[in-house]
Amino acid sequence: MSKKAPRAVLKSHMRKKSDIRVGKNADLMVQLNLLLVLHRLAEESRLKAFEEKTATIKVHHVKAVAKKLLKSTRG
């Protein structure tokens, strides 16, 4: 992944809520969190494909894992 999200756009989105203090490098933390989530999604999807004995990760593997990850984060 060679491109990063534009820092100015992230900062403007985060500053729309004026009642929340945003640190200097909060946008970098958002990017890092996104990369960690995508990495976890890729790893879980690879495991799901391996369980079904497929050589490639398909859309239904990613969707199933994403649904499972969303349920686990919501409680």
Side-chain angles (χ1 to χ4, degrees):
M1 187 169 159
S2 62
K3 287 193 171 189
K4 294 184 268 181
R7 291 184 75 177
V9 174
L10 278 174
K11 284 183 181 182
S12 69
H13 283 299
M14 292 189 308
R15 287 188 179 144
K16 284 183 181 177
K17 299 224 178 220
S18 61
D19 58 334
I20 299 174
R21 289 184 57 211
V22 178
K24 282 197 313 190
N25 293 322
D27 56 321
L28 295 176
M29 294 301 289
V30 169
Q31 285 183 355
L32 178 62
N33 194 20
L34 174 66
L35 287 175
L36 289 172
V37 167
L38 289 176
H39 186 267
R40 182 173 176 195
L41 182 65
E43 286 292 319
E44 295 280 336
S45 299
R46 183 182 63 83
L47 288 174
K48 181 80 171 166
F50 184 73
E51 287 173 1
E52 294 181 7
K53 297 182 177 146
T54 7
T56 58
I57 299 172
K58 297 183 180 167
V59 175
H60 68 274
H61 297 132
V62 177
K63 285 183 179 179
V65 170
K67 189 182 290 187
K68 184 179 82 169
L69 288 177
L70 281 175
K71 283 183 181 179
S72 69
T73 59
R74 289 188 181 169

